[in-house]
Protein backbone atom coordinates (compact mmCIF):
# COMPACT_ATOMS: atom_id res chain seq x y z
CA UNK A 1 0.00 0.00 0.00
CA UNK A 2 1.39 3.33 -1.02
CA UNK A 3 1.95 5.85 1.69
CA UNK A 4 3.10 9.44 1.49
CA UNK A 5 6.39 9.99 3.27
CA UNK A 6 8.01 13.01 4.86
CA UNK A 7 11.54 12.84 3.43
CA UNK A 8 14.51 13.65 5.62
CA UNK A 9 16.07 16.97 4.62
CA UNK A 10 19.19 16.49 2.47
CA UNK A 11 21.15 18.96 4.64
CA UNK A 12 21.28 20.27 8.24
CA UNK A 13 18.44 22.58 9.29
CA UNK A 14 20.83 25.56 9.47
CA UNK A 15 22.55 24.79 6.15
CA UNK A 16 20.62 27.41 4.15
CA UNK A 17 21.30 30.29 6.54
CA UNK A 18 21.51 33.25 6.34
CA UNK A 19 19.08 33.10 3.40
CA UNK A 20 16.54 30.63 4.81
CA UNK A 21 16.55 30.36 8.61
CA UNK A 22 16.36 27.32 10.88
CA UNK A 23 13.01 28.66 12.12
CA UNK A 24 11.59 28.69 8.60
CA UNK A 25 12.91 25.20 7.85
CA UNK A 26 11.55 23.81 11.14
CA UNK A 27 8.07 25.15 10.44
CA UNK A 28 8.08 24.53 6.69
CA UNK A 29 9.35 20.94 6.79
CA UNK A 30 8.30 19.90 10.30
CA UNK A 31 4.84 21.53 10.33
CA UNK A 32 3.58 22.48 6.84
CA UNK A 33 5.04 19.59 4.83
CA UNK A 34 4.37 17.09 7.63
CA UNK A 35 0.73 18.22 7.82
CA UNK A 36 0.21 17.57 4.09
CA UNK A 37 1.76 14.10 4.47
CA UNK A 38 -0.28 13.21 7.56
CA UNK A 39 -3.57 14.58 6.20
CA UNK A 40 -2.95 12.98 2.82
CA UNK A 41 -2.29 9.57 4.39
CA UNK A 42 -5.45 9.89 6.47
CA UNK A 43 -7.51 10.73 3.39
CA UNK A 44 -6.18 7.94 1.13
CA UNK A 45 -6.32 5.18 3.74
CA UNK A 46 -8.71 2.45 2.61
CA UNK A 47 -9.40 4.13 -0.76
CA UNK A 48 -8.33 3.34 -4.32
CA UNK A 49 -5.62 5.99 -3.96
CA UNK A 50 -3.77 3.88 -1.41
CA UNK A 51 -2.77 1.46 -4.19
CA UNK A 52 -1.33 4.15 -6.49
CA UNK A 53 2.10 5.69 -6.92
CA UNK A 54 2.16 9.33 -5.82
CA UNK A 55 2.15 10.74 -9.38
CA UNK A 56 -0.88 8.59 -10.20
CA UNK A 57 -2.68 9.74 -7.03
CA UNK A 58 -2.12 13.32 -8.23
CA UNK A 59 -3.37 12.69 -11.78
CA UNK A 60 -6.46 10.71 -10.75
CA UNK A 61 -7.55 12.97 -7.85
CA UNK A 62 -7.10 16.09 -10.02
CA UNK A 63 -9.93 14.85 -12.24
CA UNK A 64 -12.33 14.12 -9.37
CA UNK A 65 -14.04 17.11 -7.77
CA UNK A 66 -15.05 14.93 -4.81
CA UNK A 67 -11.36 14.23 -4.16
CA UNK A 68 -10.23 17.85 -3.92
CA UNK A 69 -8.76 17.37 -0.42
CA UNK A 70 -6.86 14.26 -1.57
CA UNK A 71 -5.43 16.20 -4.49
CA UNK A 72 -4.46 19.24 -2.41
CA UNK A 73 -2.64 17.25 0.27
CA UNK A 74 -0.99 14.65 -1.97
CA UNK A 75 0.16 17.24 -4.53
CA UNK A 76 1.49 19.52 -1.79
CA UNK A 77 3.39 16.60 -0.23
CA UNK A 78 4.89 15.89 -3.67
CA UNK A 79 5.70 19.55 -4.44
CA UNK A 80 7.48 20.05 -1.11
CA UNK A 81 9.66 16.98 -1.68
CA UNK A 82 10.66 18.49 -5.03
CA UNK A 83 11.42 21.82 -3.28
CA UNK A 84 13.77 20.34 -0.68
CA UNK A 85 15.70 18.40 -3.32
CA UNK A 86 16.04 21.63 -5.35
CA UNK A 87 17.95 23.41 -2.58
CA UNK A 88 21.55 23.10 -1.41
CA UNK A 89 24.14 25.38 0.20
CA UNK A 90 26.70 23.99 -2.28
CA UNK A 91 24.70 23.27 -5.44
CA UNK A 92 27.35 24.38 -7.92
CA UNK A 93 26.47 25.07 -11.54
CA UNK A 94 24.59 23.06 -14.18
CA UNK A 95 26.83 20.44 -15.80
CA UNK A 96 26.77 18.03 -18.73
CA UNK A 97 23.53 17.65 -20.65
CA UNK A 98 21.64 20.22 -18.60
CA UNK A 99 24.36 22.84 -19.05
CA UNK A 100 24.18 22.39 -22.81
CA UNK A 101 20.39 22.38 -22.86
CA UNK A 102 20.24 25.65 -20.86
CA UNK A 103 22.53 27.21 -23.45
CA UNK A 104 20.24 25.99 -26.27
CA UNK A 105 16.94 27.02 -24.64
CA UNK A 106 17.83 30.13 -22.63
CA UNK A 107 21.19 31.33 -23.97
CA UNK A 108 22.93 31.16 -20.59
CA UNK A 109 22.35 30.47 -16.90
CA UNK A 110 21.88 34.17 -16.11
CA UNK A 111 18.96 34.34 -18.55
CA UNK A 112 17.38 31.21 -17.03
CA UNK A 113 17.81 32.66 -13.54
CA UNK A 114 16.19 35.91 -14.68
CA UNK A 115 13.25 33.93 -16.04
CA UNK A 116 12.83 32.10 -12.70
CA UNK A 117 12.98 35.42 -10.83
CA UNK A 118 10.47 37.09 -13.17
CA UNK A 119 8.01 34.16 -13.07
CA UNK A 120 8.22 34.09 -9.25
CA UNK A 121 7.73 37.83 -8.85
CA UNK A 122 4.73 37.91 -11.19
CA UNK A 123 3.00 34.82 -9.80
CA UNK A 124 -0.17 36.02 -8.05
CA UNK A 125 -0.83 34.57 -4.57
CA UNK A 126 0.28 31.09 -3.49
CA UNK A 127 1.97 28.59 -5.74
CA UNK A 128 5.10 27.21 -7.32
CA UNK A 129 7.68 28.16 -9.95
CA UNK A 130 9.53 25.35 -11.71
CA UNK A 131 12.13 24.61 -14.32
CA UNK A 132 10.65 21.66 -16.20
CA UNK A 133 11.51 19.35 -19.06
CA UNK A 134 8.59 19.29 -21.50
CA UNK A 135 9.85 16.38 -23.67
CA UNK A 136 11.50 18.62 -26.24
CA UNK A 137 12.73 21.65 -24.31
CA UNK A 138 13.26 23.25 -20.92
CA UNK A 139 10.66 25.74 -19.70
CA UNK A 140 10.06 27.99 -16.69
CA UNK A 141 6.46 27.59 -15.54
CA UNK A 142 4.29 28.53 -12.57
CA UNK A 143 1.39 26.75 -10.88
CA UNK A 144 -1.29 27.92 -8.46
CA UNK A 145 -1.90 26.51 -4.99
CA UNK A 146 -1.19 22.75 -5.07
CA UNK A 147 -1.00 22.34 -8.86
CA UNK A 148 2.11 20.64 -10.20
CA UNK A 149 3.97 19.93 -13.47
CA UNK A 150 2.87 16.30 -13.06
CA UNK A 151 -0.54 17.39 -14.40
CA UNK A 152 1.09 18.77 -17.56
CA UNK A 153 3.09 15.61 -18.13
CA UNK A 154 6.26 17.61 -17.47
CA UNK A 155 9.26 16.61 -15.36
CA UNK A 156 10.28 19.12 -12.65
CA UNK A 157 14.03 19.74 -12.47
CA UNK A 158 13.99 22.71 -10.07
CA UNK A 159 10.98 23.59 -7.89
CA UNK A 160 10.60 26.85 -5.94
CA UNK A 161 7.89 27.36 -3.30
CA UNK A 162 6.33 30.82 -3.56
CA UNK A 163 3.74 30.36 -0.81
CA UNK A 164 4.30 33.06 1.82
CA UNK A 165 5.16 30.49 4.48
CA UNK A 166 8.37 29.79 2.52
CA UNK A 167 9.78 33.26 3.23
CA UNK A 168 7.63 35.37 5.53
CA UNK A 169 9.62 34.68 8.73
CA UNK A 170 12.88 35.66 7.01
CA UNK A 171 12.00 38.54 4.67
CA UNK A 172 8.34 39.24 5.47
CA UNK A 173 6.50 40.20 2.28
CA UNK A 174 9.63 40.67 0.14
CA UNK A 175 9.17 37.78 -2.27
CA UNK A 176 11.62 39.26 -4.83
CA UNK A 177 14.37 39.24 -2.17
CA UNK A 178 13.59 35.62 -1.19
CA UNK A 179 13.70 34.60 -4.85
CA UNK A 180 16.94 36.46 -5.58
CA UNK A 181 18.75 34.98 -2.57
CA UNK A 182 17.50 31.48 -3.36
CA UNK A 183 18.26 31.66 -7.09
CA UNK A 184 21.74 33.12 -6.59
CA UNK A 185 22.81 30.94 -3.67
CA UNK A 186 20.69 27.88 -3.00
CA UNK A 187 19.66 26.04 -6.18
CA UNK A 188 21.07 22.51 -6.28
CA UNK A 189 22.25 22.58 -9.89
CA UNK A 190 24.24 19.38 -9.38
CA UNK A 191 21.01 17.64 -8.37
CA UNK A 192 19.06 19.21 -11.24
CA UNK A 193 21.77 18.08 -13.68
CA UNK A 194 21.48 14.52 -12.33
CA UNK A 195 17.68 14.65 -12.67
CA UNK A 196 18.08 15.80 -16.28
CA UNK A 197 20.48 12.93 -17.02
CA UNK A 198 18.03 10.47 -15.44
CA UNK A 199 15.27 11.50 -17.89
CA UNK A 200 16.90 9.14 -20.38
MN1 LIG B 1 5.51 25.33 1.29
Amino acid sequence: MARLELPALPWAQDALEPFISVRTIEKHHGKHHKAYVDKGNGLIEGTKYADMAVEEMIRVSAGDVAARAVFNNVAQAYNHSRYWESLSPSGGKPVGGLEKRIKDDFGDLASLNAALQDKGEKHFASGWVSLVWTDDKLAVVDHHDAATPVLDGHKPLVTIDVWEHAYYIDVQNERPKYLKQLIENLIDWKGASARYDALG
Side-chain angles (χ1 to χ4, degrees):
M1 196 173 97
R3 300 273 297 167
L4 305 174
E5 286 181 19
L6 183 69
L9 292 169
W11 18 258
Q13 287 197 325
D14 63 355
L16 308 185
E17 291 201 334
F19 310 114
I20 299 178
S21 66
V22 169
R23 207 165 147 240
T24 290
I25 295 295
E26 280 174 351
K27 291 221 181 294
H28 201 174
H29 179 259
K31 303 286 186 195
H32 288 283
H33 190 173
K34 185 174 188 300
Y36 293 125
V37 169
D38 291 347
K39 279 186 205 159
N41 280 331
L43 288 164
I44 66 174
E45 195 177 342
T47 74
K48 65 183 177 184
Y49 294 104
D51 298 321
M52 298 176 187
V54 174
E55 286 87 347
E56 192 184 1
M57 289 182 203
I58 291 171
R59 282 191 291 266
V60 174
S61 62
D64 180 358
V65 287
R68 186 47 47 180
V70 171
F71 172 77
N72 283 337
N73 285 283
V74 172
Q76 282 295 79
Y78 173 88
N79 285 336
H80 280 90
S81 293
R82 304 288 76 75
Y83 178 56
W84 305 126
E85 73 186 11
S86 296
L87 302 178
S88 169
S90 53
K93 293 279 183 270
V95 295
L98 182 59
E99 180 185 21
K100 181 179 182 309
R101 198 71 224 192
I102 288 170
K103 202 170 283 179
D104 291 346
D105 292 342
F106 291 92
D108 55 24
L109 180 61
S111 300
L112 165 56
N113 284 345
L116 288 166
Q117 178 83 27
D118 185 62
K119 192 67 88 176
E121 287 188 15
K122 288 179 178 161
H123 181 86
F124 183 73
S126 296
W128 300 87
V129 171
S130 310
L131 172 68
V132 298
W133 175 247
T134 70
D135 273 339
D136 60 358
K137 63 178 169 50
L138 298 171
V140 170
V141 297
D142 62 338
H143 291 86
H144 283 281
D145 301 325
T148 164
V150 170
L151 297 178
D152 312 321
H154 297 161
K155 305 287 194 320
L157 300 172
V158 173
T159 300
I160 302 174
D161 192 336
V162 294
W163 285 58
E164 268 191 352
H165 65 230
Y167 55 85
Y168 204 86
I169 289 171
D170 296 324
V171 296
Q172 285 74 58
N173 61 322
E174 294 183 68
R175 188 194 288 175
K177 181 177 177 183
Y178 157 73
L179 288 165
K180 186 168 194 290
Q181 290 182 335
L182 186 157
I183 291 165
E184 288 181 357
N185 300 286
L186 298 178
I187 293 181
D188 185 5
W189 285 116
K190 280 184 281 194
S193 299
R195 283 189 284 282
Y196 180 84
D197 289 342
L199 294 172

